[in-house]
Every structure is written in C-alpha cells, then in structure tokens.
Short mmCIF file of all heavy atoms in Angstrom, two decimals:
data_model
loop_
_atom_site.label_atom_id
_atom_site.label_comp_id
_atom_site.label_asym_id
_atom_site.label_seq_id
_atom_site.Cartn_x
_atom_site.Cartn_y
_atom_site.Cartn_z
N LEU A 1 14.83 -0.08 -4.09
CA LEU A 1 15.05 -0.77 -5.35
C LEU A 1 16.42 -1.48 -5.31
O LEU A 1 17.45 -0.85 -5.10
CB LEU A 1 15.02 0.23 -6.52
CG LEU A 1 15.21 -0.36 -7.91
CD1 LEU A 1 14.08 -1.33 -8.24
CD2 LEU A 1 15.27 0.75 -8.96
N GLU A 2 16.43 -2.75 -5.51
CA GLU A 2 17.67 -3.52 -5.53
C GLU A 2 17.95 -3.89 -6.99
O GLU A 2 17.25 -4.75 -7.56
CB GLU A 2 17.55 -4.78 -4.68
CG GLU A 2 17.40 -4.47 -3.21
CD GLU A 2 17.30 -5.74 -2.38
OE1 GLU A 2 17.37 -6.84 -2.96
OE2 GLU A 2 17.14 -5.62 -1.14
N LEU A 3 19.04 -3.22 -7.62
CA LEU A 3 19.31 -3.44 -9.04
C LEU A 3 20.11 -4.72 -9.26
O LEU A 3 19.84 -5.49 -10.18
CB LEU A 3 20.10 -2.26 -9.62
CG LEU A 3 19.35 -0.91 -9.59
CD1 LEU A 3 20.27 0.17 -10.17
CD2 LEU A 3 18.07 -1.00 -10.38
N ASP A 4 21.14 -4.96 -8.42
CA ASP A 4 21.94 -6.17 -8.61
C ASP A 4 22.43 -6.59 -7.25
O ASP A 4 23.19 -5.90 -6.60
CB ASP A 4 23.14 -5.89 -9.52
CG ASP A 4 23.91 -7.17 -9.85
OD1 ASP A 4 23.41 -8.28 -9.43
OD2 ASP A 4 24.93 -7.08 -10.51
N SER A 5 22.02 -7.70 -6.87
CA SER A 5 22.34 -8.12 -5.51
C SER A 5 23.78 -8.57 -5.36
O SER A 5 24.30 -8.67 -4.26
CB SER A 5 21.39 -9.26 -5.08
OG SER A 5 21.53 -10.35 -6.01
N GLY A 6 24.53 -8.77 -6.53
CA GLY A 6 25.92 -9.25 -6.43
C GLY A 6 26.96 -8.15 -6.56
O GLY A 6 28.15 -8.41 -6.53
N ARG A 7 26.55 -6.94 -6.69
CA ARG A 7 27.52 -5.85 -6.85
C ARG A 7 28.14 -5.49 -5.53
O ARG A 7 27.49 -5.56 -4.50
CB ARG A 7 26.84 -4.62 -7.44
CG ARG A 7 26.43 -4.81 -8.90
CD ARG A 7 25.74 -3.57 -9.37
NE ARG A 7 26.63 -2.43 -9.19
CZ ARG A 7 26.24 -1.16 -9.34
NH1 ARG A 7 24.99 -0.87 -9.63
NH2 ARG A 7 27.12 -0.17 -9.19
N GLN A 8 29.36 -5.03 -5.61
CA GLN A 8 30.06 -4.64 -4.41
C GLN A 8 29.71 -3.21 -4.02
O GLN A 8 29.58 -2.92 -2.84
CB GLN A 8 31.59 -4.72 -4.63
CG GLN A 8 32.05 -6.14 -4.90
CD GLN A 8 31.83 -7.06 -3.72
OE1 GLN A 8 31.98 -6.63 -2.58
NE2 GLN A 8 31.53 -8.34 -4.00
N THR A 9 29.60 -2.41 -5.06
CA THR A 9 29.25 -1.02 -4.79
C THR A 9 28.04 -0.67 -5.60
O THR A 9 27.85 -1.16 -6.72
CB THR A 9 30.42 -0.08 -5.17
OG1 THR A 9 30.72 -0.23 -6.57
CG2 THR A 9 31.65 -0.39 -4.33
N GLU A 10 27.16 0.03 -5.00
CA GLU A 10 25.92 0.42 -5.69
C GLU A 10 26.05 1.90 -6.00
O GLU A 10 26.34 2.72 -5.15
CB GLU A 10 24.72 0.17 -4.78
CG GLU A 10 24.51 -1.32 -4.48
CD GLU A 10 23.27 -1.57 -3.67
OE1 GLU A 10 22.52 -0.60 -3.39
OE2 GLU A 10 22.99 -2.75 -3.29
N TRP A 11 25.79 2.18 -7.30
CA TRP A 11 25.90 3.56 -7.76
C TRP A 11 24.67 4.36 -7.37
O TRP A 11 24.72 5.57 -7.28
CB TRP A 11 26.12 3.60 -9.28
CG TRP A 11 24.96 2.97 -10.07
CD1 TRP A 11 24.82 1.73 -10.42
CD2 TRP A 11 23.87 3.69 -10.55
NE1 TRP A 11 23.68 1.53 -11.10
CE2 TRP A 11 23.06 2.77 -11.20
CE3 TRP A 11 23.45 5.06 -10.50
CZ2 TRP A 11 21.87 3.15 -11.80
CZ3 TRP A 11 22.26 5.39 -11.12
CH2 TRP A 11 21.47 4.42 -11.77
N PHE A 12 23.55 3.63 -7.06
CA PHE A 12 22.36 4.39 -6.74
C PHE A 12 21.91 3.98 -5.34
O PHE A 12 21.19 3.00 -5.16
CB PHE A 12 21.27 4.10 -7.78
CG PHE A 12 20.04 4.93 -7.55
CD1 PHE A 12 20.07 6.26 -7.87
CD2 PHE A 12 18.91 4.38 -6.99
CE1 PHE A 12 18.96 7.03 -7.67
CE2 PHE A 12 17.81 5.17 -6.79
CZ PHE A 12 17.82 6.48 -7.13
N GLU A 13 22.42 4.70 -4.45
CA GLU A 13 22.01 4.45 -3.07
C GLU A 13 22.01 5.78 -2.35
O GLU A 13 22.78 6.68 -2.66
CB GLU A 13 22.95 3.46 -2.37
CG GLU A 13 24.42 3.79 -2.44
CD GLU A 13 25.28 2.75 -1.77
OE1 GLU A 13 24.96 1.52 -1.88
OE2 GLU A 13 26.22 3.12 -1.09
N PRO A 14 21.13 5.92 -1.47
CA PRO A 14 20.95 7.23 -0.85
C PRO A 14 22.15 7.61 0.00
O PRO A 14 22.74 6.74 0.64
CB PRO A 14 19.68 7.05 0.00
CG PRO A 14 19.55 5.58 0.22
CD PRO A 14 20.22 4.91 -0.95
N ASP A 15 22.34 8.86 -0.04
CA ASP A 15 23.46 9.36 0.75
C ASP A 15 22.99 10.24 1.90
O ASP A 15 23.79 10.88 2.54
CB ASP A 15 24.42 10.20 -0.15
CG ASP A 15 25.08 9.35 -1.21
OD1 ASP A 15 25.24 8.11 -0.94
OD2 ASP A 15 25.36 9.87 -2.28
N TYR A 16 21.57 10.20 2.07
CA TYR A 16 21.11 11.17 3.07
C TYR A 16 20.80 10.49 4.39
O TYR A 16 20.02 10.95 5.18
CB TYR A 16 19.85 11.91 2.58
CG TYR A 16 18.95 11.06 1.68
CD1 TYR A 16 18.10 10.12 2.23
CD2 TYR A 16 19.03 11.24 0.30
CE1 TYR A 16 17.33 9.39 1.39
CE2 TYR A 16 18.24 10.50 -0.52
CZ TYR A 16 17.38 9.56 0.03
OH TYR A 16 16.61 8.80 -0.79
N GLY A 17 21.38 9.36 4.59
CA GLY A 17 21.36 8.77 5.93
C GLY A 17 20.13 7.95 6.26
O GLY A 17 19.97 7.53 7.38
N PHE A 18 19.15 7.70 5.35
CA PHE A 18 17.98 6.83 5.64
C PHE A 18 18.36 5.37 5.59
O PHE A 18 19.23 4.98 4.82
CB PHE A 18 16.84 7.10 4.64
CG PHE A 18 16.22 8.44 4.85
CD1 PHE A 18 16.56 9.51 4.02
CD2 PHE A 18 15.30 8.67 5.85
CE1 PHE A 18 15.98 10.77 4.22
CE2 PHE A 18 14.72 9.90 6.02
CZ PHE A 18 15.05 10.96 5.23
N GLY A 19 17.62 4.54 6.30
CA GLY A 19 17.88 3.11 6.23
C GLY A 19 17.31 2.53 4.96
O GLY A 19 16.81 3.21 4.08
N SER A 20 17.41 1.22 4.86
CA SER A 20 16.94 0.52 3.66
C SER A 20 15.47 0.13 3.74
O SER A 20 14.98 -0.60 2.90
CB SER A 20 17.77 -0.75 3.46
OG SER A 20 17.66 -1.60 4.59
N GLY A 21 14.63 0.56 4.76
CA GLY A 21 13.20 0.21 4.88
C GLY A 21 12.35 0.99 3.91
O GLY A 21 12.80 1.89 3.22
N ALA A 22 11.03 0.61 3.84
CA ALA A 22 10.06 1.25 2.94
C ALA A 22 9.76 2.65 3.44
O ALA A 22 9.77 2.92 4.65
CB ALA A 22 8.78 0.44 2.86
N LEU A 23 9.39 3.48 2.50
CA LEU A 23 9.14 4.88 2.81
C LEU A 23 7.69 5.20 2.49
O LEU A 23 7.20 4.92 1.39
CB LEU A 23 10.06 5.78 1.97
CG LEU A 23 9.87 7.27 2.19
CD1 LEU A 23 10.27 7.66 3.62
CD2 LEU A 23 10.72 8.05 1.18
N ARG A 24 6.90 5.69 3.51
CA ARG A 24 5.48 6.04 3.30
C ARG A 24 5.40 7.30 2.50
O ARG A 24 5.96 8.34 2.90
CB ARG A 24 4.77 6.22 4.63
CG ARG A 24 3.27 6.41 4.47
CD ARG A 24 2.61 6.49 5.83
NE ARG A 24 2.92 7.75 6.46
CZ ARG A 24 2.23 8.90 6.25
NH1 ARG A 24 1.22 8.92 5.41
NH2 ARG A 24 2.59 10.01 6.87
N VAL A 25 4.66 7.22 1.39
CA VAL A 25 4.53 8.39 0.53
C VAL A 25 3.09 8.89 0.47
O VAL A 25 2.82 9.92 -0.15
CB VAL A 25 5.02 8.05 -0.90
CG1 VAL A 25 6.50 7.73 -0.92
CG2 VAL A 25 4.23 6.90 -1.49
N GLY A 26 2.14 8.15 1.08
CA GLY A 26 0.74 8.61 1.06
C GLY A 26 -0.20 7.56 1.67
O GLY A 26 0.22 6.52 2.18
N THR A 27 -1.49 7.84 1.56
CA THR A 27 -2.54 6.96 2.12
C THR A 27 -3.68 6.84 1.11
O THR A 27 -4.10 7.85 0.51
CB THR A 27 -3.09 7.52 3.44
OG1 THR A 27 -2.00 7.70 4.34
CG2 THR A 27 -4.12 6.59 4.02
N VAL A 28 -4.18 5.64 0.97
CA VAL A 28 -5.37 5.41 0.14
C VAL A 28 -6.53 5.01 1.06
O VAL A 28 -6.37 4.19 1.95
CB VAL A 28 -5.10 4.33 -0.93
CG1 VAL A 28 -4.70 3.00 -0.33
CG2 VAL A 28 -6.34 4.15 -1.81
N GLN A 29 -7.68 5.62 0.86
CA GLN A 29 -8.89 5.36 1.67
C GLN A 29 -10.02 4.88 0.75
O GLN A 29 -10.28 5.48 -0.30
CB GLN A 29 -9.33 6.62 2.41
CG GLN A 29 -8.35 7.07 3.48
CD GLN A 29 -8.81 8.34 4.17
OE1 GLN A 29 -9.52 9.16 3.56
NE2 GLN A 29 -8.39 8.53 5.43
N VAL A 30 -10.68 3.81 1.18
CA VAL A 30 -11.84 3.26 0.44
C VAL A 30 -13.08 3.46 1.31
O VAL A 30 -13.14 2.98 2.46
CB VAL A 30 -11.64 1.77 0.12
CG1 VAL A 30 -12.87 1.21 -0.57
CG2 VAL A 30 -10.40 1.58 -0.74
N GLY A 31 -14.04 4.21 0.82
CA GLY A 31 -15.27 4.48 1.56
C GLY A 31 -16.43 3.64 1.06
O GLY A 31 -16.77 3.68 -0.12
N VAL A 32 -17.00 2.86 1.95
CA VAL A 32 -18.16 1.99 1.62
C VAL A 32 -19.37 2.51 2.39
O VAL A 32 -19.30 2.71 3.61
CB VAL A 32 -17.87 0.53 1.99
CG1 VAL A 32 -19.09 -0.35 1.66
CG2 VAL A 32 -16.64 0.02 1.27
N SER A 33 -20.46 2.71 1.69
CA SER A 33 -21.68 3.24 2.32
C SER A 33 -22.28 2.21 3.29
O SER A 33 -22.33 1.00 3.00
CB SER A 33 -22.71 3.60 1.24
OG SER A 33 -23.91 4.04 1.85
N THR A 34 -22.68 2.69 4.45
CA THR A 34 -23.33 1.78 5.42
C THR A 34 -24.68 1.26 4.92
O THR A 34 -25.18 0.22 5.37
CB THR A 34 -23.53 2.51 6.76
OG1 THR A 34 -24.27 3.72 6.54
CG2 THR A 34 -22.18 2.86 7.37
N GLU A 35 -25.33 1.99 3.98
CA GLU A 35 -26.61 1.52 3.43
C GLU A 35 -26.42 0.25 2.62
O GLU A 35 -27.36 -0.54 2.47
CB GLU A 35 -27.21 2.61 2.54
CG GLU A 35 -27.61 3.87 3.32
CD GLU A 35 -28.20 4.93 2.41
OE1 GLU A 35 -28.22 4.69 1.18
OE2 GLU A 35 -28.64 5.97 2.92
N LEU A 36 -25.21 0.05 2.08
CA LEU A 36 -24.96 -1.17 1.33
C LEU A 36 -25.10 -2.40 2.22
O LEU A 36 -25.71 -3.40 1.84
CB LEU A 36 -23.56 -1.10 0.72
CG LEU A 36 -23.12 -2.33 -0.09
CD1 LEU A 36 -24.02 -2.52 -1.30
CD2 LEU A 36 -21.66 -2.19 -0.52
N LEU A 37 -24.54 -2.31 3.44
CA LEU A 37 -24.66 -3.42 4.38
C LEU A 37 -26.11 -3.63 4.82
O LEU A 37 -26.59 -4.76 4.94
CB LEU A 37 -23.76 -3.18 5.59
CG LEU A 37 -23.74 -4.29 6.64
CD1 LEU A 37 -23.24 -5.60 6.01
CD2 LEU A 37 -22.87 -3.89 7.83
N ALA A 38 -26.84 -2.51 5.01
CA ALA A 38 -28.25 -2.63 5.41
C ALA A 38 -29.07 -3.28 4.30
O ALA A 38 -29.94 -4.13 4.55
CB ALA A 38 -28.80 -1.25 5.75
N THR A 39 -28.79 -2.87 3.04
CA THR A 39 -29.52 -3.48 1.91
C THR A 39 -29.20 -4.96 1.82
O THR A 39 -30.09 -5.80 1.59
CB THR A 39 -29.13 -2.76 0.61
OG1 THR A 39 -29.42 -1.37 0.72
CG2 THR A 39 -29.88 -3.35 -0.56
N ARG A 40 -27.93 -5.28 2.01
CA ARG A 40 -27.54 -6.69 1.97
C ARG A 40 -28.22 -7.47 3.10
O ARG A 40 -28.70 -8.60 2.90
CB ARG A 40 -26.02 -6.78 2.11
CG ARG A 40 -25.49 -8.20 2.01
CD ARG A 40 -25.64 -8.74 0.60
NE ARG A 40 -25.12 -10.08 0.49
CZ ARG A 40 -23.84 -10.38 0.29
NH1 ARG A 40 -22.94 -9.39 0.19
NH2 ARG A 40 -23.45 -11.63 0.19
N ARG A 41 -28.29 -6.85 4.27
CA ARG A 41 -28.96 -7.51 5.40
C ARG A 41 -30.44 -7.75 5.10
O ARG A 41 -31.01 -8.80 5.39
CB ARG A 41 -28.80 -6.65 6.66
CG ARG A 41 -29.36 -7.33 7.91
CD ARG A 41 -29.29 -6.42 9.12
NE ARG A 41 -27.93 -6.00 9.42
CZ ARG A 41 -27.46 -4.76 9.29
NH1 ARG A 41 -28.26 -3.80 8.83
NH2 ARG A 41 -26.21 -4.47 9.59
N GLN A 42 -31.13 -6.76 4.52
CA GLN A 42 -32.55 -6.89 4.19
C GLN A 42 -32.78 -7.99 3.16
O GLN A 42 -33.72 -8.78 3.27
CB GLN A 42 -33.09 -5.55 3.68
CG GLN A 42 -34.60 -5.52 3.47
CD GLN A 42 -35.08 -4.13 3.09
OE1 GLN A 42 -34.26 -3.23 2.88
NE2 GLN A 42 -36.38 -3.98 3.01
N ASP A 43 -31.89 -8.04 2.15
CA ASP A 43 -32.02 -9.09 1.15
C ASP A 43 -31.87 -10.47 1.79
O ASP A 43 -32.60 -11.42 1.45
CB ASP A 43 -30.96 -8.90 0.06
CG ASP A 43 -31.22 -7.65 -0.78
OD1 ASP A 43 -32.38 -7.18 -0.77
OD2 ASP A 43 -30.27 -7.15 -1.43
N ILE A 44 -30.91 -10.56 2.69
CA ILE A 44 -30.70 -11.85 3.36
C ILE A 44 -31.93 -12.25 4.17
O ILE A 44 -32.38 -13.41 4.15
CB ILE A 44 -29.44 -11.78 4.26
CG1 ILE A 44 -28.20 -11.68 3.39
CG2 ILE A 44 -29.36 -13.00 5.17
CD1 ILE A 44 -26.92 -11.43 4.17
N LEU A 45 -32.50 -11.28 4.92
CA LEU A 45 -33.68 -11.59 5.73
C LEU A 45 -34.85 -12.03 4.86
O LEU A 45 -35.56 -13.01 5.17
CB LEU A 45 -34.06 -10.37 6.56
CG LEU A 45 -33.11 -10.01 7.71
CD1 LEU A 45 -33.55 -8.71 8.38
CD2 LEU A 45 -33.07 -11.13 8.73
N TRP A 46 -35.12 -11.31 3.78
CA TRP A 46 -36.26 -11.66 2.91
C TRP A 46 -36.06 -13.03 2.26
O TRP A 46 -37.00 -13.84 2.17
CB TRP A 46 -36.46 -10.59 1.84
CG TRP A 46 -37.20 -9.38 2.36
CD1 TRP A 46 -36.69 -8.13 2.54
CD2 TRP A 46 -38.56 -9.35 2.75
NE1 TRP A 46 -37.66 -7.29 3.03
CE2 TRP A 46 -38.83 -8.02 3.17
CE3 TRP A 46 -39.58 -10.27 2.80
CZ2 TRP A 46 -40.07 -7.61 3.63
CZ3 TRP A 46 -40.83 -9.88 3.25
CH2 TRP A 46 -41.07 -8.56 3.67
#
C-alpha cells in the first residue's frame, strides 16, 4: 500500500525485512465440469 508517494518517511512500512513485492495470501480455484464442453460440442454438431 502506497499512502503518499511524496513523503520522505513512511510511518507504515514493514520492519521485518520483506521487500516491496506482492505477497501471496491464498489461491482461488474455478472448477468447470467437462460435461459442459461435451454438451456444447453436441449442440454445435446438431
């Protein structure tokens, strides 16, 4: 989080030695049924 890009000192910055990159906090998974593609394929064929 960048609060003010013109400040000389930032009051909220980590002190535990991590860099300024993004931090992975979890994973989201989307499951799509393979039957959906088969149904779509059948509709296209017909």
Side-chain angles (χ1 to χ4, degrees):
L1 181 62
E2 294 180 1
L3 297 179
D4 186 5
S5 58
R7 290 178 58 190
Q8 296 296 324
T9 60
E10 295 184 4
W11 61 271
F12 184 75
E13 52 182 37
D15 295 332
Y16 32 78
F18 290 101
S20 59
L23 179 65
R24 187 176 72 85
V25 295
T27 304
V28 59
Q29 293 179 331
V30 177
V32 179
S33 177
T34 56
E35 294 180 357
L36 179 63
L37 182 61
T39 302
R40 183 69 179 277
R41 185 185 301 112
Q42 187 174 6
D43 292 340
I44 291 173
L45 290 176
W46 280 112

